[in-house]
């Protein structure tokens, strides 16, 4: 997959798994299972091609080595989580793949298509209604760093401000790739698609 971006580039991934799950009664989304596999493990499977993965969330046992971190203070939102994840790499990657833990329809094929669709500053998934999914995307790290506010202003930073002005390719979603788990109804529908025999 790194060849899709740049043969000599360092590629890392951040999984955002530290959300509050407010519309799920405070449930830990990362630990929710579909077909016997947690949403976190599904995310890690989708990122199989990427060697260095940082998970922004509480540490749990995983099937592959990852680095866990949290934004400080916790609950700062996806932009703060993304930036916290970026800081956790021993060496800053050139390209950063970002994936929300609550998108179980994303697969390795999805990630490969997104990383193949980048423009100057990256690419993101777009659903069939034209809505962008900035949490299933690849970004040029330098572009994010250039937009990053002072550290004390990261908490609560709207994600669109971090991405403002970036030249991003748009990759059409296939099937349920762009669907996320925002409610119990969403979870039931996604389970029907992904684990129809349950």
């Amino acid at each position: 997959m790194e060849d899709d971006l740049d043969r000599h580039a360092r590629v890392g991934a951040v999984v955002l798994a530290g959300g509050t799950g407010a519309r799920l009664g405070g449930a830990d989304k990362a630990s929710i299972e579909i077909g016997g596999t947690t949403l976190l493990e599904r995310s890690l499977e989708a990122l199989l091609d990427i060697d260095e993965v940082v998970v922004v969330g509480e540490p749990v046992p995983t099937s592959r080595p990852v680095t866990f971190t949290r934004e400080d203070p916790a609950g700062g939102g996806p932009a703060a989580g993304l930036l916290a994840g970026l800081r956790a790499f021993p060496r800053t990657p050139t390209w950063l793949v970002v994936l929300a833990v609550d998108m179980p329809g994303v697969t390795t094929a999805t990630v490969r298509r997104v990383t193949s669709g980048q423009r100057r500053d990256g690419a993101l998934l777009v659903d069939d209604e034209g809505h962008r999914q900035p949490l299933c995307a690849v970004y040029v790290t330098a572009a994010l760093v250039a937009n990053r506010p002072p550290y004390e202003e990261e908490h609560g930073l709207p994600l669109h401000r971090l991405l403002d002005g970036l030249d991003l390719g748009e990759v059409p979603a296939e099937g349920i790739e762009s669907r996320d788990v925002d409610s119990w109804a969403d979870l039931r529908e996604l389970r029907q698609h992904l684990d129809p025999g349950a």
Side-chain angles (χ1 to χ4, degrees), residues 176-189:
I176 60 169
E177 289 174 332
S178 64
R179 296 280 303 279
D180 52 17
V181 180
D182 276 340
S183 67
W184 293 115
D186 292 339
L187 180 60
R188 285 192 296 271
E189 290 179 15

Side-chain angles (χ1 to χ4, degrees), residues 113-124:
R113 288 196 347 268
V114 170
T115 56
S116 297
Q118 82 279 358
R119 296 186 61 170
R120 185 184 66 198
D121 298 321
L124 39 66

Side-chain angles (χ1 to χ4, degrees), residues 32-52:
I32 291 173
E33 294 187 3
I34 295 179
T37 303
T38 65
L39 293 185
L40 176 57
E41 284 296 335
R42 284 181 173 271
S43 296
L44 297 181
E45 288 172 7
L47 297 168
L48 190 62
D49 292 337
I50 302 174
D51 291 334
E52 289 187 273

Side-chain angles (χ1 to χ4, degrees), residues 152-182:
E152 62 273 12
E153 296 177 15
E154 289 182 8
H155 189 87
L157 175 72
L159 187 57
H160 69 85
R161 278 186 48 202
L162 183 62
L163 306 180
D164 187 41
L166 269 59
D167 181 15
L168 302 172
E170 295 187 349
V171 178
E174 297 179 359
I176 60 169
E177 289 174 332
S178 64
R179 296 280 303 279
D180 52 17
V181 180
D182 276 340

Side-chain angles (χ1 to χ4, degrees), residues 53-186:
V53 178
V54 171
V55 177
V56 182
E58 295 303 318
V60 294
T62 54
S63 60
R64 60 176 290 189
V66 301
T67 300
F68 282 93
T69 191
R70 283 306 305 260
E71 71 274 31
D72 184 22
L82 188 162
L83 293 171
L86 182 57
R87 280 192 291 270
F89 286 93
R91 286 198 296 160
T92 302
T94 306
W95 293 88
L96 186 70
V97 175
V98 177
L99 179 59
V101 79
D102 65 349
M103 298 182 69
V106 172
T107 65
T108 52
T110 315
V111 174
R112 288 169 185 161
R113 288 196 347 268
V114 170
T115 56
S116 297
Q118 82 279 358
R119 296 186 61 170
R120 185 184 66 198
D121 298 321
L124 39 66
L125 200 67
V126 179
D127 70 17
D128 55 9
E129 295 181 352
H131 299 128
R132 295 172 133 205
Q133 283 284 5
L135 299 184
C136 181
V138 60
Y139 300 108
V140 173
T141 303
L144 296 175
V145 170
N147 272 6
R148 182 174 59 192
Y151 178 78
E152 62 273 12
E153 296 177 15
E154 289 182 8
H155 189 87
L157 175 72
L159 187 57
H160 69 85
R161 278 186 48 202
L162 183 62
L163 306 180
D164 187 41
L166 269 59
D167 181 15
L168 302 172
E170 295 187 349
V171 178
E174 297 179 359
I176 60 169
E177 289 174 332
S178 64
R179 296 280 303 279
D180 52 17
V181 180
D182 276 340
S183 67
W184 293 115
D186 292 339

